[in-house]
Amino acid sequence: MREDEKPHAEDKFCGISRLKVFLLALSLAFVGKTMSGAYMNSMYTQIEKQFNIPASLVGIINGSFEIGNLLLIAFVSYFGGRLHRPKIIALGCTVLSFGCLLISLPHFLIGRYHIESSISPLENSSVMPLCFVNQSSFSLPTEEPSTECVKESGSLLWIFVMVGNIVRGMGETPIMPLGISYLEDFAKTENSPFYQGCLHTATIIGPFVGFLLASFCAKLFVDVGSVDPGDVAITATDTRWVGAWWLGILICAALNLLAGVPFWFLPKSLVKEGEINEPEETCKKRIVLLQENEKKEAKETMYEIAKDFIPFLKALFRNPVYMLFICITVLQFSAFNGMISFMPKYLEQQFGKSASDAIFLIGVYNLPVICVGYFFGGLFMKKFKINIYQAAHIAFWVSFLEYLLYFAAYWTVCDTSPVAGLTVSYEGIEQVSYAESTVLAGCNRDCDCTLKSWDPVCGKNGITYVSPCLAGCKASRGTGKSVVFENCTCVAASEFSYQNASAILGQCDRGESCDKMLHYFLILQLVCSFIFSLAAMPGYMVLIRSLKPEEKSFGVGIHELASRVFAGIPSPIYFGALIDTTCLKWGTMTCGGEGACRMYDIVTYRWLYLGLPAILRGVSYFPCALILFILKKKLKSESKTLLNTPIELQNKGQ
């Protein structure tokens, strides 16, 4: 090294440059981990259809991330700060990247996606018989039934997705707590808020990029690159469509791996920022002292590290405000986690949107206003120097206002899509049926149709039929997406009969009124997200100020642990199980097993999807009221004590 480079190298070693490198790397790691999380939450509906699994199982896969997080959170909380934090963060990023790779692995093992259909793609004749033979799935060649049944067992590859999600959760665990503590230890006090602001910005950028990436990937067919798009006979709005869910998670893996590289080259300790201009000898002495302290810390026994655990835990359990706040968090987080997990599916089923459009709209309408709400909520708290009782009042009433507005979502609805035998009779009379036998009628009873396949066609009468065979169609013309089915006896026999009794591929469009309702719903979501985010900072202030200084880090850790165990893991599971109960038509796997749900009773779905969060959040306001009562009582007690204190002692205390 040249002489003129030595001071620069020493400056970097003494803190400031390396701390900024750490901040930049940590911001990238925050973007990577939050981007991966948002992407996965957006793609669970695609994974559900790829592996033909019910929504309850998707909920288990979703919750497995929290399980992975919990496996290491205790170790990271107690011992992470005593080890080489940058290298542990680097290891976490690497493990996170490996988890993403595991999630994408099934795509390369399962083979091509077989679209459930009653039409053989190999038949290109202009007239194709439909209504006199029992049609099987188009992807099942009659000469090799056993081979296809072996391939169907590949649906168990969803286990790789679950294990990958667990590994992803384990990898993410050390990034935030160790990264923030490292910054706090070596940053100037006046610079710390700016650094924290950079990290909060990264946590908004990450999900936003994740949603955009998910929207793009959901537009691409799952077998992009190996299948000609012109050969795919369904569109992105079809419930059988599976987007390229694996592609985006590979991008997330690469980003997380890249984000971890700088941490491998950063030191265990730095000289605190601002001490960079000290003489070189003083700087070296400080580094020696830091190294000696690290050796002393390393010699501490497990007992010495953990001896305060039980007393701290008892103190937290005896803190009524803290315990009530945990109850509130569990109830509120359960509601929001369940809603977010299944919101893409809700927009697909309720408003007839494609997965790509649903994911894009969720990201655009929610994330920016949440960021603005957090900013103004924090600014308001700083400007008016609000105490804990005032913060609790603000959080309660602002949140309660948003809760009342939330019920307007019950009026942002679309009419149920008319599907013969499921939501309407073959005569067009409204009904809802969960029985398979209702898809048979006089117009198709002699067609010998399979009742299990889902291959919807839209008749000229505006009614959707489960398959061309069940629509009574005798012939077809055209190929691919442009196939038209003709001589459809059920279309001709309906109440809205047409001379041209034909049908085209796919479900019938919902119409302009449904698009209008979707915009109302999204605007309502935007307003509610903004109002609720205003209450987030005052609410978090109640948590922090209810704890003593020595209890804060442990108390926040236990709060996070409780929210993951009692809300993060179970809520997607029971939300998914309840959503499964509203299924009207299950898909069919190649060998005849039950697959993913193709169509839901959207009225019951809506009541469950919106109603369960309303109940959970409604119950949460009871402990909120108790917190207000306790804080008010405590404030009065402190006021009386202050009044009874002699003025001389008050002045002395000041």
Side-chain angles (χ1 to χ4, degrees), residues 249-270:
I249 203 68
L250 283 178
I251 295 171
C252 292
L255 178 61
N256 284 297
L257 187 64
L258 179 67
V261 171
F263 295 107
W264 292 110
F265 304 99
L266 288 165
K268 181 179 179 181
S269 299
L270 299 171

Side-chain angles (χ1 to χ4, degrees), residues 60-219:
I60 293 173
I61 295 172
N62 190 344
S64 64
F65 170 80
E66 305 290 353
I67 294 171
N69 215 293
L70 289 173
L71 290 174
L72 290 181
I73 197 168
F75 174 82
V76 169
S77 298
Y78 284 99
F79 305 109
R82 303 176 187 276
L83 302 174
H84 197 302
R85 284 176 286 184
K87 286 189 176 177
I88 293 177
I89 294 171
L91 182 62
C93 290
T94 306
V95 172
L96 177 54
S97 176
F98 178 67
C100 292
L101 285 173
L102 266 181
I103 291 169
S104 66
L105 184 61
H107 170 74
F108 303 99
L109 301 176
I110 200 170
R112 290 188 180 182
Y113 173 60
H114 299 288
I115 303 170
E116 180 188 356
S117 178
S118 59
I119 310 162
S120 171
L122 302 176
E123 295 190 55
N124 295 318
S125 58
S126 59
V127 179
M128 183 165 45
L130 294 168
C131 182
F132 64 86
V133 291
N134 188 5
Q135 302 293 332
S136 60
S137 175
F138 79 77
S139 59
L140 178 61
T142 55
E143 64 273 12
E144 293 181 347
S146 59
T147 304
E148 291 297 331
C149 286
V150 171
K151 284 184 180 179
E152 193 63 42
S153 65
S155 60
L156 290 175
L157 289 172
W158 60 265
I159 294 171
F160 278 92
V161 180
M162 186 173 73
V163 173
N165 229 14
I166 292 172
V167 173
R168 192 171 67 86
M170 293 169 68
E172 186 174 311
T173 306
I175 296 173
M176 186 175 76
L178 298 189
I180 290 175
S181 66
Y182 193 88
L183 273 179
E184 287 293 318
D185 286 349
F186 305 117
K188 273 185 181 179
T189 305
E190 58 267 29
N191 288 345
S192 182
F194 171 73
Y195 295 159
Q196 296 294 335
C198 292
L199 296 180
H200 281 293
T201 303
T203 59
I204 296 296
I205 293 172
F208 191 73
V209 175
F211 278 119
L212 292 180
L213 178 63
S215 177
F216 171 75
C217 291
K219 277 184 182 177

Side-chain angles (χ1 to χ4, degrees), residues 467-539:
S467 70
C469 183
L470 288 168
C473 301
K474 303 293 193 301
S476 70
R477 56 183 169 83
T479 58
K481 296 176 186 177
S482 59
V483 171
V484 177
F485 303 95
E486 298 174 329
N487 302 329
C488 304
T489 54
C490 292
V491 177
S494 69
E495 186 181 345
F496 314 100
S497 57
Y498 282 75
Q499 289 183 347
N500 182 12
S502 62
I504 57 173
L505 282 174
Q507 287 183 254
C508 298
D509 292 335
R510 296 293 182 89
E512 291 182 5
S513 61
C514 198
D515 288 337
K516 190 182 292 185
M517 283 296 176
L518 172 61
H519 285 111
Y520 292 154
F521 177 80
L522 291 170
I523 291 168
L524 180 65
Q525 285 289 308
L526 184 148
V527 174
C528 287
S529 296
F530 176 70
I531 295 174
F532 189 83
S533 61
L534 286 173
M537 294 307 292

Side-chain angles (χ1 to χ4, degrees), residues 1 49 65 122 143 145 183 280 370 426 460 564 644:
M1 182 180 291
K49 290 181 278 188
F65 170 80
L122 302 176
E143 64 273 12
L183 273 179
E280 185 176 336
I370 289 173
Y426 276 81
K460 276 283 187 179
R564 289 179 185 279
N644 294 331

Side-chain angles (χ1 to χ4, degrees), residues 570-646:
S571 62
I573 298 172
Y574 59 73
F575 264 82
L578 286 171
I579 287 170
D580 279 340
T581 64
T582 68
C583 185
L584 290 175
K585 178 63 182 172
W586 291 95
T588 307
M589 294 198 287
T590 307
C591 297
E594 194 174 83
C597 186
R598 302 303 186 193
M599 184 174 182
Y600 294 86
D601 175 2
I602 64 168
V603 176
T604 310
Y605 188 159
R606 180 170 64 249
W607 281 99
L608 285 174
Y609 178 78
L610 298 177
L612 184 56
I615 293 169
L616 290 168
R617 293 188 59 199
V619 172
S620 74
Y621 288 106
F622 290 103
C624 282
L626 285 174
I627 285 179
L628 289 175
F629 175 75
I630 292 168
L631 291 176
K632 186 177 182 181
K633 191 176 178 182
K634 186 178 178 182
L635 190 65
K636 283 183 178 179
S637 175
E638 289 174 354
S639 299
K640 284 181 182 178
T641 305
L642 191 64
L643 288 171
N644 294 331
T645 304

Side-chain angles (χ1 to χ4, degrees), residues 354-525:
S354 68
S356 174
D357 290 343
I359 294 164
F360 178 79
L361 292 170
I362 291 168
V364 168
Y365 275 83
N366 286 278
L367 287 176
V369 294
I370 289 173
C371 183
V372 173
Y374 282 157
F375 174 78
F376 281 108
L379 188 66
F380 183 81
M381 298 293 292
K382 181 182 177 182
K383 180 82 174 173
F384 296 99
K385 298 179 181 178
I386 291 165
N387 62 36
I388 184 172
Y389 178 64
Q390 292 168 328
H393 255 292
I394 292 168
F396 178 86
W397 291 111
V398 173
S399 172
F400 191 68
L401 172 64
E402 184 273 331
Y403 178 66
L404 295 177
L405 281 174
Y406 168 82
F407 286 96
Y410 282 100
W411 283 271
T412 57
V413 298
C414 287
D415 294 333
T416 303
S417 179
V419 180
L422 295 178
T423 61
V424 296
S425 67
Y426 276 81
E427 291 76 32
I429 301 168
E430 191 172 331
Q431 65 174 38
V432 174
S433 174
Y434 288 80
E436 275 191 351
S437 58
T438 57
V439 298
L440 285 176
C443 59
N444 60 25
R445 200 170 295 278
D446 297 331
C447 294
D448 194 22
C449 304
T450 176
L451 304 183
K452 293 185 177 293
S453 67
W454 173 258
D455 186 19
V457 293
C458 177
K460 276 283 187 179
N461 53 4
I463 295 176
T464 299
Y465 297 87
V466 173
S467 70
C469 183
L470 288 168
C473 301
K474 303 293 193 301
S476 70
R477 56 183 169 83
T479 58
K481 296 176 186 177
S482 59
V483 171
V484 177
F485 303 95
E486 298 174 329
N487 302 329
C488 304
T489 54
C490 292
V491 177
S494 69
E495 186 181 345
F496 314 100
S497 57
Y498 282 75
Q499 289 183 347
N500 182 12
S502 62
I504 57 173
L505 282 174
Q507 287 183 254
C508 298
D509 292 335
R510 296 293 182 89
E512 291 182 5
S513 61
C514 198
D515 288 337
K516 190 182 292 185
M517 283 296 176
L518 172 61
H519 285 111
Y520 292 154
F521 177 80
L522 291 170
I523 291 168
L524 180 65
Q525 285 289 308

